[in-house]
Amino acid sequence: YTKWVWLVKGRRMALSSAEDYLKRFDPKEYLCLYYQGKVSSFNARPLRDLHAFYREAFVPAAQGEENVNYTKPRSLRVLDYGAGPAIMYDISAAAVATEIVLAEYVPQNRAALQQWIDGDAEAHDWSLFFKYVTEELEGASHGASEAEQSTKASVAAEKREERLRKIAKVVQCDIWQDPPIQRGFDVEYDVVFSSLCIESASKSREEFVEAACRLCKLLKSGGRIALHAASVEGQETQLYYVGKEKFVGVSVTEELLREALEKAGCYDVTFKRYPSDQSIPEEVANTAMSFVTATKH
């Protein structure tokens, strides 16, 4: 396989290849490093963004009521493309969707996802993330007495876990293949979400744009796309570590995201950027995160 190389601040930095992920990516180490213990502000940001995204676009609210209705899912088909081994980005989606497809390239990541869906005791524990979404963001225990709040929050989180396990399907994907997802799942989705994926599969800004266009072909007309991306100011690449292993991808700026989505036939692009701060793990130091949404023509 080929190692693609950028010149960054006077030194050569190799972009990670597909083979690197197949051979060197350890999902257990990754999950323990970035998603273990409390829900940090680094992890809470995309959860809040996705909660707002689904609430504003898809959750019905009774007229005159502050609390929206999370008990009547719509017939939404959601695609999480390049899901990795992480289930947390689909917690809010499970409140409104009837089907969630978790598409992932790396076999060991697909195994980790399936392990959680199957309720395997060795699977990563996402309970704190479910509780954060259902209690802190959706207000599952609001209005209850202090004694009742903990019980209500736990019940709501457990119900959401049960629902996500019921409606989620794990499939293979490769953005550079035709179709870019396992056959039988190459259909048009109401929502396509992708976090830190296509920049890792691209070796240039041009390829990132092409990958975004290929991804948007899986989105129906009028459908919504949401992307969680990473960038390092002034650099062509961004990187992160999993243990001693380094993975490098394209640095995704606001300009690049807007260009990619517009060329993919999307409009109404909204962009939010979170600068690097103390909440970001040292393994991704100096990396700024972005959240962008758009609608397909």
Side-chain angles (χ1 to χ4, degrees):
Y1 62 91
T2 303
K3 281 277 196 175
W4 302 96
V5 178
W6 293 86
L7 187 64
V8 180
K9 290 189 174 180
R11 62 191 179 90
R12 295 169 69 84
M13 182 178 292
L15 286 174
S16 300
S17 70
E19 193 75 8
D20 290 328
Y21 280 90
L22 291 175
K23 290 186 174 181
R24 301 194 291 112
F25 192 91
D26 184 337
K28 286 189 176 181
E29 192 160 15
Y30 172 78
L31 293 173
C32 287
L33 180 60
Y34 294 103
Y35 303 101
Q36 189 72 30
K38 68 177 183 178
V39 180
S40 67
S41 59
F42 175 73
N43 289 322
R45 287 170 177 172
L47 292 178
R48 289 197 303 268
D49 288 332
L50 285 166
H51 164 73
F53 171 73
Y54 284 107
R55 172 173 174 160
E56 292 167 7
F58 301 110
V59 179
Q63 187 174 2
E65 293 184 3
E66 180 180 356
N67 292 331
V68 295
N69 187 345
Y70 288 95
T71 63
K72 296 180 180 180
R74 296 178 51 173
S75 298
L76 291 178
R77 176 177 282 174
V78 175
L79 171 63
D80 181 349
Y81 195 91
I87 203 78
M88 63 172 256
Y89 298 112
D90 302 292
I91 299 173
S92 289
V96 296
T98 50
E99 179 184 3
I100 298 177
V101 174
L102 307 173
E104 170 55 26
Y105 175 75
V106 180
Q108 57 267 34
N109 288 343
R110 294 199 300 271
L113 292 171
Q114 193 62 54
Q115 190 178 43
W116 181 86
I117 290 172
D118 294 339
D120 192 308
E122 298 299 316
H124 188 75
D125 182 6
W126 294 101
S127 58
L128 288 178
F129 291 84
F130 277 87
K131 190 173 181 180
Y132 175 80
V133 171
T134 57
E135 181 179 13
E136 297 296 327
L137 301 183
E138 297 176 6
S141 63
H142 289 182
S145 67
E146 186 174 347
E148 295 174 322
Q149 285 181 3
S150 179
T151 299
K152 283 194 171 184
S154 295
V155 170
E158 289 171 5
K159 285 184 176 179
R160 186 62 56 79
E161 286 196 54
E162 180 181 346
R163 173 157 184 81
L164 183 51
R165 286 190 170 100
K166 181 179 180 180
I167 65 175
K169 299 180 178 67
V170 180
V171 304
Q172 190 271 343
C173 69
D174 184 338
I175 196 66
W176 302 117
Q177 295 296 314
D178 291 312
I181 192 170
Q182 184 175 315
R183 291 194 181 277
F185 294 89
D186 51 330
V187 297
E188 292 185 332
Y189 292 84
D190 299 287
V191 178
V192 172
F193 168 72
S194 187
S195 175
L196 310 175
C197 170
I198 58 176
E199 58 262 53
S200 298
S202 304
K203 65 178 183 289
S204 66
R205 291 170 59 90
E206 292 74 20
E207 277 204 355
F208 179 86
V209 172
E210 182 183 352
C213 291
R214 293 175 66 83
L215 183 61
C216 283
K217 289 181 180 179
L218 296 170
L219 187 64
K220 75 175 187 180
S221 177
R224 300 274 288 161
I225 186 168
L227 298 176
H228 183 221
S231 65
V232 178
E233 188 172 356
Q235 296 193 21
E236 298 280 1
T237 61
Q238 48 80 22
L239 63 87
Y240 67 97
Y241 287 87
V242 178
K244 296 180 180 179
E245 301 293 348
K246 178 175 68 178
F247 296 92
V248 185
V250 174
S251 180
V252 184
T253 63
E254 178 179 0
E255 177 187 14
L256 180 57
L257 281 166
R258 290 185 181 277
E259 176 189 352
L261 289 172
E262 288 170 4
K263 285 191 176 180
C266 294
Y267 68 99
D268 191 24
V269 179
T270 66
F271 179 86
K272 185 184 293 185
R273 183 176 186 271
Y274 298 107
S276 175
D277 62 27
Q278 295 299 318
S279 72
I280 294 180
E282 61 181 2
E283 288 78 12
V284 287
N286 302 319
T287 300
M289 299 297 176
S290 302
F291 185 77
V292 62
T293 66
T295 304
K296 185 176 178 180
H297 281 293

